[in-house]
Amino acid sequence: MGGIARGSLELEPVDARELLQHAARRQRLLRGDDAQIDVNVDADVRLVADRHLVGVALTNLLDNAFRYGRPPVTLTADTRGSAVTIRVNDDGPGFPTEFMERAFDPFTRVDSARTSRGTGIGLAIVQDVMRAHHGQASIEPDSSIVLTFPLDVAE
């Protein structure tokens, strides 16, 4: 991917609960009210971020969770040390081990997903958004996607 220029970000203080609830509402509008999304945010979790770009990243992650995983989907946010972490988790089978190393590479898809629609750039976009925020996207052993935002980001 070409990358997102850090200078093009519109950084502002963002309430994590509001951000995740907005992403969940948008998915429910797209998928119907029966889209099972739980939002769990520790009190007063805030990050400095470009609200729109983080929303794009969350939309990509939720789309993947509903397309390849199983509901319910859980969005969580908390502060850990010097970072805010946002997790997206579902009850699906998770990522194959051999895919996890290259999951964020552009145009990479799990072989079983190649017959479905999609281009394999969703996770690469997520990674670009996180790099622009001096953060990172990663996959945990339980197949949660974790977005880590440093707290010491200069606006």
Side-chain angles (χ1 to χ4, degrees), residues 38-67:
D38 298 320
V39 176
N40 302 306
V41 179
D42 287 351
D44 298 323
V45 176
R46 299 184 68 75
L47 58 148
V48 175
D50 183 307
R51 181 185 310 267
H52 172 72
L53 286 177
V54 175
V56 168
L58 289 171
T59 296
N60 282 332
L61 294 176
L62 287 169
D63 184 52
N64 281 352
F66 280 102
R67 185 179 299 174

Side-chain angles (χ1 to χ4, degrees), residues 20 63 73 120 137:
L20 297 185
D63 184 52
V73 175

Side-chain angles (χ1 to χ4, degrees), residues 55-124:
V56 168
L58 289 171
T59 296
N60 282 332
L61 294 176
L62 287 169
D63 184 52
N64 281 352
F66 280 102
R67 185 179 299 174
Y68 305 114
R70 278 193 304 268
V73 175
T74 304
L75 297 172
T76 60
D78 57 27
T79 303
R80 293 189 181 195
S82 61
V84 169
T85 59
I86 294 175
R87 283 181 174 66
V88 179
N89 191 289
D90 64 68
D91 273 351
F95 294 96
T97 306
E98 65 277 3
F99 177 74
M100 291 174 72
E101 282 187 32
R102 57 192 206 335
F104 295 103
D105 293 346
F107 309 110
T108 301
R109 299 186 330 163
V110 175
D111 286 338
S112 64
R114 293 194 188 279
T115 59
S116 67
R117 63 188 173 110
T119 60
I121 63 168
L123 291 179

